[in-house]
Amino acid sequence: MIEIAFSILAADPLNVERDVTRLLDAGADLLHLDIMDGHFVPNISFGPGMVKALDARFPPVRKDVHLMISDPGRYLSGFIDAGADEITIHLEIEQDVPALLKAIRGAGRKAGLSIKPGTELARIFPYLSMCDLILLMTVEPGFGGQKIIASALDRLGQLRAAGFSGVLSVDGGVTGENCFGLTRLGATRLVMGTAAVQAEDPRALFAGCRGAHPR
Ligand code: DX5
Ligand code: ZN
């Protein structure tokens, strides 16, 4: 079953509710919230307040929070209290990754680990059993609207070969043209921002991405 996660970074900042409503109505399964601290990545986005507002407005919709921040431990409880359902941290942080993943699961949330395109894939292997989700970055994190880094796609098969059987999410540059290849390679979740917002007919886009794998 293929999940489509709408990345609200691509939404019109003055019309987030409108864009989220439109894409949920078109069949997006959950919301992907990119939290950026201007330190781990060279951009600043939004914080727990956005999670809380979306949780209040769209309570049944799962919030998949992607922490592109250097000190996730400091803010974890804030995102949990705000209503995050899934919390993904980055492998590259200088903190205790196993302890953080354990704390996320301990709070009853799904724990995710993300890896940047330039990070050696083998570095994530020791943590696979601690994660419910692996977030494979197919762009350098920090900005939406980038082109997919095709060399990252081999990693999907490598993660499956390494025994990871959880949610395999692809994040960055996912479009109607490349989504089919991604799911064929083993992706089970597609994070889409720009392509979703710009789609004339997002329902058709999402259905196409699910093509061989109906919802
Ligand atoms: C980039 C973010 C992505 C991004 C989605 O750092 O993690 O989630 O918003 O990108 P596009 O717009 O390419 O789908
Ligand atoms: Zn993301």
Side-chain angles (χ1 to χ4, degrees), residues 7 9 32-36 64-68 90 114 135 137 139 141-142 169-172 191:
S7 175
L9 189 71
H32 182 88
L33 290 97
D34 289 311
I35 310 299
M36 301 179 182
D64 161 30
V65 174
H66 177 192
L67 296 179
M68 286 167 274
H90 264 266
S114 186
L135 184 65
M137 293 309 297
V139 294
S169 184
V170 175
D171 188 0
V191 175

Side-chain angles (χ1 to χ4, degrees), residues 60-187:
V61 180
R62 279 173 295 147
K63 284 89 191 168
D64 161 30
V65 174
H66 177 192
L67 296 179
M68 286 167 274
I69 65 177
S70 299
D71 186 0
R74 184 171 171 195
Y75 300 98
L76 217 42
S77 59
F79 283 102
I80 290 165
D81 295 347
D85 299 285
E86 307 186 11
I87 300 179
T88 295
I89 58 174
H90 264 266
L91 175 68
E92 298 88 358
I93 59 173
E94 288 161 25
Q95 290 200 323
D96 185 341
V97 166
L100 289 167
L101 293 171
K102 194 162 172 249
I104 295 166
R105 276 183 163 172
R109 272 50 177 194
K110 294 257 186 270
L113 193 54
S114 186
I115 183 168
K116 299 200 288 188
T119 302
E120 192 206 340
L121 186 68
R123 281 188 50 196
I124 205 167
F125 291 163
Y127 306 109
L128 298 180
S129 62
M130 305 174 198
C131 305
D132 305 296
L133 127 86
I134 296 290
L135 184 65
L136 187 68
M137 293 309 297
T138 44
V139 294
E140 194 55 35
F143 299 90
Q146 300 179 69
K147 207 166 155 7
I148 197 164
I149 298 172
S151 59
L153 306 190
D154 295 344
R155 296 180 155 201
L156 291 163
Q158 291 163 15
L159 284 162
R160 287 300 184 214
F164 184 69
S165 57
V167 174
L168 197 42
S169 184
V170 175
D171 188 0
V174 178
T175 66
E177 288 66 43
N178 62 35
C179 61
F180 218 50
L182 296 170
T183 55
R184 240 198 343 264
L185 287 166

